[in-house]
Amino acid sequence: MPRFITAIVLALSAIPCCLSIWPIPRSLDSGNQILKLSGSFDISINFTNPPQDLLDAVTRTKYSIQTDQLGRLTVGRGSSDSTAFGSAKTLRTLMLALEQSASTAQPIATEAVVALDARDEGYSLSVPLDGSAGVVSANTTLGLLRGLSTFEQLWYTYDGTIYTNYAPLTIVNDSPAYAYRGFMLDTARNFFSVSDIKRTLDAMYLVKINTFHWHITDSQSWPIQVVQFPELAQAGAYSTNQSYTPSDIQDVVTYAGDRGIDVLVEIDTPGHTAIIGASHPEYVACYLSDWITFASEPPAGQLRLADASVTNFTAAVLAAVAETLPSTMFSTGGDELNTACYAADGPTQMMLNESGRTLFEALDIFTSATHGALHALGKTAVVWEEMVLEYNTTTLRNDTIVMVWISSDDAAAVVQRGYRIVHAPSNYFYLDCGAGDPIGNDPTGNSWCDPFKTWQESYTFNPLANISSAQVSLVLGGEQLLWTEQSGPENLDSIVWPRAASSAEIFWTGDTLPDGFDRVGNISEALPRLHDVRYRMVQRGIKAIRLQPEWCALRPQMCDE
Amino acid sequence: MTRIFLVVATVISAAYALWPLPTDFSTGTAALTLASDFHIDISAIPNPPQDLLDAISRTKGYLQTDQLEALVVDRGASYNQSLQNASSLVSLVLSYDSGVAGEPTSISEEAIDDIDSRVEGYTLTVPEDGSAATIKANSTLGLFRGLTTFGQLWYDLNNTTYTIEAPIAITDSPVFPYRGFMLDTSRNYFPVSDILRTLDAMSWVKMTTFHWHMVDSQSFPLEVPEFPELSLNGAYGPSLVYSTNDVQTIVSYANARGIDVLPEIDTPGHTAIIAQAYPEHVACPGATPWATYANEPPAGQLRFANANTTNFTASLISSVSARFPGKYFSTGGDELNTECYAIDESTQADLNTTGKTLEQALDTFTQTVQSVLEDSGKTPVVWEEMVLDFNLTLSNNTIVMVWISSADAAAVADKGFRLVQAPSDYFYLDCGAGGWVGANPSGNSWCDPFKTWQYAYSFDPVANLTDAQAKLVIGGEHLLWTEQSHASNLDSIVWPRAAASAELFWSGPGGNIKNSVFPDVPRLHDVAFRMTQRGVGAIALQPLWCALRPGVCDLTA
């Protein structure tokens, strides 16, 4: 018995119970004393001419701290903390300090789209116990923003008093373990309004997710208005009200950039494009044919990739969209190509015969053209894993980023070919799994990727499994994904949050907690913090779901197995 | 290509938008619009009850505000020409069948009648020539069901409200009288407004029973004036309590919508929270490891072997049940943990003194509690363990809820009890969303997988029952246990899935998912879209592309 207890003590992290920050910083030294926030609290900036989006971020942080009104998740919701209010000191100022010459300060939105390998999100934060000014310091305004999101998570409200119970607190050089921390939303299966997307970006900001992977089109609908190709949305959006105007896209990109989030737009090609047939039937093979034979899901239809005019059209559409976006990345998709569709398509077979090419050789030429158009705009191409593992594409540029989705087991094979990867494995990160099958007349239908991916299962994902140490730098990070066959605005928040925060911490914090203990091995340490960020999201209007009865949320570890 | 076109062409049919499907109906192909001065005529009804008048004004409101476009690719634009030339419906006339005499009873009174004597049938006609539509019924509740059906007939195109299926003739009544939805308000609290919204959605699919699992081990959100400490100490917070007034509001709102409220105070298990106010009545409160003493944290159960605890429980049940006008009351009785009593010295002492076994003590407790209900004219409702796991003396009148498995229904029926089908393997809405206890990385829910609407819809309520036993099945319900639910996902986890059992128990089993004559996916889309228009956040079952193309996303398309 004593030995058993000793073993537990040795294995458990020393992070103070219920420390709220998510993702937890990689370095952290915190106390457990009360510090109040002054009624006249303000955030000051130590350099002149700060960019407007930093000023806006400061305003939002001050507002959130006032309006979160979150009671600490403990029985009594903070009443036991209030006895110390009388003797506690008061914080009046948080200073934002740039560690480089202020003349080089860039807007957050500019730094948020810097190439992944050069992006700088690190920051330091100190909150003294004695009421003297707190300080966030960073090399970039993007780093300052990350420090603000940490600072916001320190505060609770009890009976009108805003306070933290983690003073004094020092974070030195907190910076992400992985450069890419994303969330993907599919806006083609069902439509989401700009306000739904913005609310999602707010939640992403809170947990320091830095990439919004926007799977904007698919076979079911084409909700993006492309100025040079207006017919695509006219014929392909569910309705005019269910499409994004160019100014909607800019609105989303700006809103994201202000919150340190890069927008990676995906126009999936050459598969998942049936809806293009609504305006250009001549470009689409097996358009609306038997979907069970010709597609992974209805409706069937794929771009005639062997056709030069289709190739030119596709390159032009991708360029038309990509040139309006500040990101250095753009995804051309490339998943789930159905070869039976092309085998049955007369025009495709004729063109292959004429050119003497195989289908995959034609795909190589198609990809080379579409990626060439992106490269000419200075964009790095992003593709799904099949482009590397199944289609023997030979023309991919070395800097192409590959998303691993079919299985986490496939990551090693992609990395072995020298490509950088983003982990998006269906077996850990697909948020739609486990809710049944969207196919109509299927009484026993469960989802193809059952079971439901719990936050805990996601949280145990190991980004470096089977990756050699020499290849570690190829792992850019990862993302959780929502495919929306069975989602809409009605269940967006509840299906995504707080689960998608799991990967946000995996890829920010890495595998080690700030006190040196194993992160995954201390999963029961994570749950109270996840409750905390979930409750804070709810206070901010994001309808994150409950992970447990409130009885458990107020009593850390008491509902553990 | 041709084949797909044919599929689309066969299903654009407004009557197929009705949910639950009427037991007998016929429709035509004529367009009919709703006149701008459309009204509902009740001149044939002397002294119409207020709740009928309210239902009429709600129906008229929905006709104005639903603004639902037909779920077809062009959202109904191609009907424009025929709508120009269509007749216009000016009135809907409500009347009782000739057999009804005297002062009419209200929907609210009829909704809480004995379950086997409720009358919900109605006939509805909508002529194509613009002459008056009619709803006739033998009861006010029947008129209300007819109004609900009438409200599902209409679509909107450029502010014209129309059907393209006149004339319509429907004769309808339910196969099973109990069609319910259960909500647990203890694991997490739901504001009154969430419950009222849920009651609205239930009434739109003609459900009859709101099974309210009010309290459990985690919190006691119900104000009981005779025992105020229960909610003072046991609710999550002072604002997270259903006051006596709130209960009145919920019951009146439900009854006016044809819904009986079946309250449940789960006993003697699932009662840990009572220890916050009355520690003397609770065995093993907070005992650890909780997994030894309870199915979920926190542990703690009523000391049913103790006479004082028994009397306390009987008084509590009596106090609560007196505030509900319904004739049914559930005392729960599931998941009793015997280890908890084995370590409880007080219980062991009581058993030693009385010389009773645990089961005999439970029998005494149960008889005392149930007799309090029966003395006040209530019928007890219990979970299946009270019949199958323990040898207890229960009134023959008791209604038993089958939850552990659909396979247990036959054993309950074998003992001669009436039963409600609430099987976890078909109707538990919480399943499949992962285990919720902490520190369990690979944990999935105990009742995996997720229960799809299709699977629930395929349930056979009389499977493995003899004809005589089948008569004991009074209906069924979908259930939401709320360990991982809250106002934020109430609508999305419940709707439209719970509509599957609403139709199953109204229209009878055998609604054929695979048969294109009854393309149920499009009808369920329709009710889900209408719910969304009315402010209930029902989820998408498929991409909108599929919803607009009935049958095209079927596995056989």
Side-chain angles (χ1 to χ4, degrees):
Chain A
M1 194 67 136
R3 192 167 65 90
F4 181 60
I5 289 171
T6 308
I8 286 175
V9 169
L10 284 178
L12 284 184
S13 151
I15 289 172
C17 167
C18 323
L19 182 67
S20 55
I21 309 168
W22 192 285
I24 197 155
R26 298 175 78 194
S27 111
L28 174 67
D29 185 6
S30 78
N32 56 5
Q33 304 205 47
I34 303 287
L35 176 69
K36 293 181 292 184
L37 196 78
S38 168
S40 59
F41 170 77
D42 204 356
I43 298 176
S44 65
I45 298 177
N46 85 334
F47 52 97
T48 52
N49 300 320
Q52 183 60 42
D53 60 8
L54 181 64
L55 296 174
D56 294 343
V58 163
T59 303
R60 285 197 306 273
T61 294
K62 290 195 302 192
Y63 178 80
S64 294
I65 291 173
Q66 293 295 328
T67 55
D68 276 356
Q69 298 279 319
L70 177 62
R72 193 159 74 84
L73 291 183
T74 181
V75 177
R77 302 306 296 272
S79 61
S80 58
D81 300 330
S82 65
T83 55
F85 286 173
S87 57
K89 295 286 197 285
T90 299
L91 181 71
R92 290 188 172 75
T93 308
L94 178 71
M95 167 82 80
L96 303 190
L98 215 51
E99 291 173 343
Q100 59 180 8
S101 148
S103 62
T104 63
Q106 298 289 320
I108 296 167
T110 303
E111 290 171 344
V113 298
V114 165
L116 284 170
D117 53 5
R119 209 174 289 178
D120 186 348
E121 302 183 75
Y123 70 94
S124 296
L125 168 65
S126 68
V127 180
L129 180 61
D130 64 2
S132 57
V135 178
V136 179
S137 56
N139 288 321
T140 64
T141 55
L142 180 60
L144 294 176
L145 181 82
R146 298 299 177 224
L148 287 173
S149 78
T150 299
F151 184 76
E152 289 170 25
Q153 295 184 28
L154 301 176
W155 304 97
Y156 300 104
T157 302
Y158 181 80
D159 197 19
T161 299
I162 299 174
Y163 70 99
T164 181
N165 60 330
Y166 309 126
L169 178 134
T170 309
I171 293 169
V172 180
N173 293 332
D174 184 26
S175 64
Y178 294 88
Y180 185 110
R181 304 176 308 282
F183 166 69
M184 191 214 77
L185 182 67
D186 159 15
T187 57
R189 271 56 180 256
N190 281 306
F191 181 79
F192 295 81
S193 69
V194 169
S195 68
D196 291 320
I197 294 173
K198 286 182 174 176
R199 191 174 66 254
T200 303
L201 291 166
D202 284 332
M204 291 164 66
Y205 156 77
L206 185 60
V207 295
K208 300 185 172 67
I209 292 177
N210 70 359
T211 310
F212 174 48
H213 173 186
W214 192 351
H215 184 89
I216 200 164
T217 61
D218 210 296
S219 276
Q220 289 81 2
S221 77
W222 185 283
I224 177 174
Q225 296 180 19
V226 184
V227 174
Q228 298 90 326
F229 301 93
E231 69 281 8
L232 288 167
Q234 277 163 12
Y238 282 133
S239 70
T240 307
N241 291 336
Q242 290 162 297
S243 64
Y244 305 106
T245 65
S247 73
D248 287 339
I249 302 284
Q250 290 310 311
D251 192 12
V252 168
V253 166
T254 301
Y255 196 91
D258 289 350
R259 285 154 185 77
I261 299 167
D262 192 0
V263 179
L264 164 59
V265 168
E266 175 185 357
I267 303 274
D268 201 351
T269 60
H272 290 272
T273 44
I275 199 68
I276 292 175
S279 52
H280 296 279
E282 71 279 14
Y283 291 165
V284 177
C286 65
Y287 181 47
L288 301 184
S289 300
D290 172 23
W291 71 264
I292 294 174
T293 309
F294 297 122
S296 300
E297 67 181 71
Q302 306 182 135
L303 288 170
R304 287 186 166 130
L305 57 87
D307 182 334
S309 58
V310 172
T311 304
N312 292 339
F313 161 81
T314 307
V317 170
L318 296 178
V321 175
E323 71 184 6
T324 68
L325 301 167
S327 181
T328 63
M329 300 181 286
F330 191 94
S331 174
T332 59
D335 55 322
E336 298 188 313
L337 210 55
N338 182 299
T339 53
C341 166
Y342 293 118
D345 184 50
T348 296
Q349 290 307 313
M350 198 174 70
M351 284 178 270
L352 291 176
N353 281 337
E354 283 173 6
S355 62
R357 296 189 182 115
T358 66
L359 182 67
F360 287 153
E361 285 167 352
L363 174 62
D364 227 357
I365 290 169
F366 174 88
T367 305
S368 166
T370 57
H371 285 198
L374 291 174
H375 185 67
L377 294 169
K379 309 284 182 185
T380 301
V382 180
V383 297
W384 295 110
E385 63 171 280
E386 293 98 313
M387 295 297 285
V388 170
L389 297 182
E390 293 185 22
Y391 309 147
N392 303 316
T393 318
T394 59
T395 57
L396 287 183
R397 306 180 69 86
N398 291 337
D399 67 352
T400 303
I401 296 170
V402 179
M403 294 207 166
V404 177
W405 72 274
I406 296 175
S407 164
S408 51
D409 293 341
D410 297 344
V414 177
V415 164
Q416 267 162 24
R417 299 194 189 195
Y419 293 106
R420 294 180 294 169
I421 63 165
V422 169
H423 285 293
S426 58
N427 52 331
Y428 282 90
F429 290 161
Y430 269 29
L431 295 165
D432 60 316
C433 300
D437 190 339
I439 297 310
N441 51 346
D442 185 6
T444 58
N446 289 312
S447 72
W448 69 271
C449 52
D450 264 10
F452 182 86
K453 310 307 171 207
T454 64
W455 77 267
Q456 298 101 314
E457 175 74 4
S458 304
Y459 194 75
T460 62
F461 178 74
N462 177 5
L464 301 180
N466 305 316
I467 306 280
S468 75
S469 55
Q471 295 164 333
V472 165
S473 65
L474 295 174
V475 180
L476 296 177
E479 65 180 24
Q480 280 170 285
L481 310 88
L482 183 63
W483 301 104
T484 59
E485 283 86 352
Q486 300 177 104
S487 292
E490 297 80 14
N491 63 339
L492 173 64
D493 292 7
S494 60
I495 206 164
V496 174
W497 304 111
R499 278 194 296 157
S502 268
S503 61
E505 178 153 295
I506 294 173
F507 295 106
W508 179 283
T509 307
D511 58 9
T512 308
L513 291 169
D515 55 9
F517 286 91
D518 174 53
R519 179 179 56 76
V520 172
N522 283 278
I523 192 166
S524 59
E525 179 276 328
L527 178 57
R529 287 190 296 109
L530 191 55
H531 276 308
D532 204 286
V533 76
R534 176 266 168 202
Y535 274 74
R536 198 175 294 275
M537 284 181 178
V538 170
Q539 296 299 95
R540 295 184 182 191
I542 298 144
K543 293 181 156 189
I545 65 159
R546 305 256 170 174
L547 298 168
Q548 291 185 323
E550 187 156 296
W551 193 92
C552 303
L554 302 182
R555 294 167 179 83
Q557 272 88 44
M558 284 188 68
C559 294
D560 283 3
E561 203 163 68
Chain B
M1 192 80 146
T2 315
R3 190 164 67 89
I4 288 171
F5 178 74
L6 284 176
V7 172
V8 174
T10 53
V11 293
I12 301 168
S13 173
Y16 290 138
L18 300 179
W19 193 285
L21 198 67
T23 45
D24 185 29
F25 69 93
S26 68
T27 58
T29 56
L32 180 69
T33 62
L34 207 63
S36 57
D37 59 345
F38 170 79
H39 63 281
I40 297 178
D41 177 350
I42 49 166
S43 56
I45 298 178
N47 304 317
Q50 183 59 43
D51 57 14
L52 179 62
L53 296 174
D54 294 343
I56 286 168
S57 69
R58 283 198 307 277
T59 301
K60 282 160 46 179
Y62 294 144
L63 294 171
Q64 294 282 331
T65 58
D66 276 1
Q67 301 276 319
L68 177 63
E69 294 177 322
L71 292 180
V72 293
V73 175
D74 68 4
R75 305 309 299 266
S78 62
Y79 306 145
N80 195 38
Q81 191 57 42
S82 47
L83 296 185
Q84 304 294 328
N85 307 319
S87 299
S88 192
L89 181 68
V90 177
S91 70
L92 168 66
V93 178
L94 302 194
S95 63
Y96 292 112
D97 284 325
S98 50
V100 178
E103 187 84 358
T105 44
S106 66
I107 298 169
S108 300
E109 291 169 290
E110 294 175 4
I112 61 171
D113 252 349
D114 283 342
I115 190 125
D116 46 9
S117 53
R118 281 181 211 160
V119 177
E120 301 184 78
Y122 66 93
T123 58
L124 166 64
T125 63
V126 182
E128 66 180 298
D129 61 1
S131 58
T134 65
I135 295 175
K136 292 183 181 177
N138 277 316
S139 65
T140 316
L141 186 57
L143 294 176
F144 174 66
R145 299 296 181 221
L147 282 171
T148 303
T149 302
F150 186 80
Q152 292 183 347
L153 296 174
W154 306 94
Y155 296 96
D156 190 86
L157 179 67
N158 305 327
N159 292 319
T160 298
T161 306
Y162 70 95
T163 175
I164 51 155
E165 276 209 312
I168 297 166
I170 293 172
T171 303
D172 198 14
S173 64
V175 175
F176 294 92
Y178 186 109
R179 304 179 305 279
F181 167 68
M182 190 214 78
L183 182 67
D184 160 15
T185 56
S186 170
R187 272 54 178 258
N188 282 307
Y189 177 84
F190 292 79
V192 172
S193 61
D194 289 309
I195 295 176
L196 301 185
R197 189 176 68 254
T198 302
L199 290 166
D200 275 320
M202 291 167 64
S203 79
W204 300 333
V205 292
K206 302 191 174 80
M207 286 187 175
T208 57
T209 308
F210 174 50
H211 174 187
W212 188 2
H213 184 89
M214 296 187 290
V215 300
D216 210 295
S217 277
Q218 287 80 5
S219 77
F220 201 105
L222 180 71
E223 177 194 42
V224 186
E226 293 83 349
F227 303 95
E229 300 84 358
L230 285 169
S231 58
L232 279 174
N233 298 356
Y236 281 131
S239 62
L240 308 178
V241 174
Y242 303 105
S243 68
T244 302
N245 214 16
D246 290 338
V247 169
Q248 274 302 319
T249 300
I250 288 167
V251 169
S252 310
Y253 198 90
N255 292 168
R257 283 156 183 77
I259 297 168
D260 193 6
V261 177
L262 165 61
E264 177 183 352
I265 300 279
D266 202 350
T267 61
H270 290 272
T271 44
I273 200 69
I274 290 176
Q276 299 296 318
Y278 299 98
E280 68 274 22
H281 291 321
V282 177
C284 77
T288 54
W290 63 259
T292 305
Y293 302 111
N295 280 38
E296 63 183 61
Q301 307 182 133
L302 287 172
R303 285 178 168 143
F304 61 70
N306 183 279
N308 290 334
T309 301
T310 303
N311 291 337
F312 161 79
T313 309
S315 304
L316 171 62
I317 299 284
S318 170
S319 304
V320 175
S321 70
R323 292 190 173 80
F324 287 86
K327 295 192 168 75
Y328 303 89
F329 194 96
S330 173
T331 56
D334 56 322
E335 298 188 313
L336 208 55
N337 182 298
T338 54
E339 296 290 322
C340 168
Y341 295 113
I343 62 159
D344 183 47
E345 290 177 11
S346 168
T347 295
Q348 293 306 317
D350 286 329
L351 293 175
N352 278 336
T353 306
T354 57
K356 286 179 178 160
T357 64
L358 196 66
E359 186 173 62
Q360 287 165 341
L362 179 60
D363 197 21
T364 305
F365 172 87
T366 306
Q367 287 193 52
T368 307
V369 173
Q370 307 294 62
S371 67
V372 164
L373 285 175
E374 300 204 80
D375 290 349
S376 57
K378 307 268 182 182
T379 299
V381 179
V382 296
W383 296 109
E384 64 171 275
E385 291 99 315
M386 300 301 280
V387 172
L388 298 182
D389 290 5
F390 302 103
N391 189 17
L392 306 179
T393 314
L394 294 175
S395 154
N396 292 336
N397 203 28
T398 304
I399 294 171
V400 179
M401 296 215 166
V402 175
W403 71 275
I404 297 175
S405 164
S406 52
D408 295 344
V412 172
D414 206 38
K415 301 200 179 231
F417 290 103
R418 291 183 293 170
L419 65 93
V420 170
Q421 298 279 15
S424 58
D425 49 341
Y426 283 89
F427 291 159
Y428 270 30
L429 295 164
D430 60 317
C431 299
W436 57 269
V437 296
N440 183 20
S442 59
N444 288 313
S445 72
W446 68 271
C447 53
D448 263 13
F450 182 85
K451 310 307 171 205
T452 65
W453 78 265
Q454 298 99 318
Y455 191 68
Y457 195 76
S458 71
F459 179 71
D460 177 359
V462 296
N464 305 316
L465 301 182
T466 66
D467 287 353
Q469 288 171 340
K471 293 190 171 59
L472 296 170
V473 179
I474 63 174
E477 65 181 23
H478 265 91
L479 309 90
L480 182 64
W481 302 103
T482 59
E483 284 86 353
Q484 297 172 292
S485 291
H486 179 240
S488 38
N489 65 335
L490 174 63
D491 291 5
S492 60
I493 205 164
V494 174
W495 304 112
R497 277 194 296 157
S501 65
E503 173 155 302
L504 177 61
F505 292 104
W506 177 284
S507 312
N512 197 336
I513 293 168
K514 290 177 182 161
N515 182 343
S516 64
V517 175
F518 295 106
D520 301 293
V521 193
R523 282 195 300 113
L524 192 56
H525 277 309
D526 210 288
V527 77
F529 276 77
R530 201 176 289 277
M531 282 183 175
T532 304
Q533 296 298 93
R534 294 181 185 182
V536 172
I539 65 162
L541 297 169
Q542 292 184 324
L544 183 58
W545 193 90
C546 301
L548 301 183
R549 292 165 180 83
V552 175
C553 293
D554 282 4
L555 207 48
T556 48

